Amino acid sequence: PNPKTLMLLQPAVSVGNVGQLAIDLVISTLGMTKVGYFYTDCLVPMVGNNPYATAEENSTELSINAEVYSLPSRKLVVLQIRSPFIKNKYRAFSEALLDWVLSSKCARVILLSSSHAYQRDDEQLLGTPLRYLLTPALEESVAGVMQGLKWKEMEKVAAYPGVNDTEKILNIPGGGITKLLFTECCSKGIQMAVLLKFCSEGDNIPDAFALVNYLNEWLQLIKCEVTTSPQWKVPSSWRLLFGSGLPPALF
């Protein structure tokens, strides 16, 4: 395949881990193959069992903090991040990531993210809790699609509310690396879309389903009728999302 058509899908490590949960659903449902790791000293080290185990045989495979999955038939590459960033390492990570994007000739990047629901301004409280952002390089080719889907672009907010309401800035509280990656992609001419949901910490599984359905409206990763919602496959690791239950010995 022409490498220039590859698309990279990845999460921002953001409020409620919504992007990471949504990526779990994509990898699990599409049965994506692990093709490698993203080695970095910018994330907290971790190792665990295969989060997408389907049988005894593949449950003992190890997984680490940043892994790459591929689905050649859809020219889709997914980077899953499973641990938080080390303080002050955001910039180093985004530089390494975008160097990799440019050297591997990825055509576009899609970042799944989230932002604190309680920090919305008045305009953002209305209608859908889902938003998108496009870098100028991507805007010309897909802005019409977004308008056709009736999606809402992430609003800019006043830089100095009440003092100067004319100067507007992009603000994504709780969005982790989102704003930095987006602004870097803007300046480097990389085609990038951010899809995000306003949410709060808690049981964020419904938020993950909402975000991945939003992604699917655009990319049609799984086909579904207009009237039905897509059927995503929940990975086996989600059984332990809230720990393994209370030990009966406590009582």
Side-chain angles (χ1 to χ4, degrees):
N2 170 6
K4 248 316 186 197
T5 54
L6 282 177
M7 180 162 61
L8 172 68
L9 177 65
Q10 68 159 88
V13 182
S14 51
V15 55
N17 305 103
V18 176
Q20 293 152 290
L21 292 170
I23 295 281
D24 264 356
L25 290 168
V26 171
I27 293 170
S28 179
T29 305
L30 300 178
M32 296 182 77
T33 315
K34 180 157 70 175
V35 291
Y37 305 99
F38 191 81
Y39 285 109
T40 172
D41 61 357
C42 302
L43 294 164
V44 173
M46 66 134 284
V47 65
N49 281 15
N50 177 6
Y52 312 115
T54 48
E56 281 290 310
E57 300 81 75
N58 66 6
S59 64
T60 52
E61 288 170 15
L62 292 183
S63 68
I64 63 164
N65 55 7
E67 296 187 320
V68 182
Y69 294 79
S70 162
L71 187 64
S73 62
R74 299 297 300 265
K75 299 193 169 64
L76 181 66
V77 176
V78 170
L79 170 65
Q80 176 62 302
I81 300 174
R82 298 201 177 89
S83 70
F85 283 90
I86 290 169
K87 206 176 166 195
N88 303 329
K89 291 275 193 177
Y90 279 124
R91 193 164 286 282
F93 179 83
S94 79
E95 279 170 17
L97 177 73
L98 297 181
D99 284 348
W100 177 56
V101 166
L102 291 166
S103 65
S104 59
K105 309 269 196 301
C106 270
R108 56 179 62 161
V109 181
I110 297 171
L111 184 71
L112 299 185
S113 182
S114 50
S115 184
H116 282 303
Y118 70 85
Q119 283 186 278
R120 286 175 291 178
D121 70 1
D122 292 353
E123 198 182 352
Q124 292 170 338
L125 288 165
L126 301 171
T128 172
L130 294 154
R131 293 290 184 278
Y132 76 93
L133 279 167
L134 302 173
T135 59
L138 184 56
E139 198 140 21
E140 50 204 60
S141 54
V142 303
V145 179
M146 303 312 192
Q147 280 149 11
L149 292 168
K150 302 207 171 14
W151 280 13
K152 278 184 91 165
E153 194 168 1
M154 182 72 171
E155 299 86 351
K156 291 193 165 167
V157 295
Y160 308 104
V163 182
N164 171 3
D165 290 333
T166 51
E167 193 184 329
K168 302 273 190 177
I169 54 161
L170 184 63
N171 187 31
I172 307 174
I177 201 168
T178 308
K179 186 178 169 181
L180 174 64
L181 264 184
F182 182 72
T183 48
E184 287 291 305
C185 285
C186 286
S187 63
K188 285 180 167 34
I190 295 172
Q191 295 192 19
M192 181 197 226
V194 175
L195 272 51
L196 69 82
K197 183 174 189 299
F198 294 118
C199 67
S200 308
E201 293 279 1
D203 176 0
N204 296 103
I205 290 175
D207 298 311
F209 276 105
L211 188 59
V212 80
N213 285 339
Y214 188 54
L215 173 75
N216 200 61
E217 273 181 52
W218 173 26
L219 293 185
Q220 302 287 303
L221 293 174
I222 49 179
K223 296 274 183 277
C224 61
E225 299 303 316
V226 180
T227 50
T228 58
S229 42
Q231 295 299 301
W232 300 99
K233 184 178 160 205
V234 171
S236 52
S237 52
W238 280 22
R239 289 199 306 267
L240 303 171
L241 211 54
F242 298 104
S244 48
L246 294 170
L250 277 177
F251 310 102

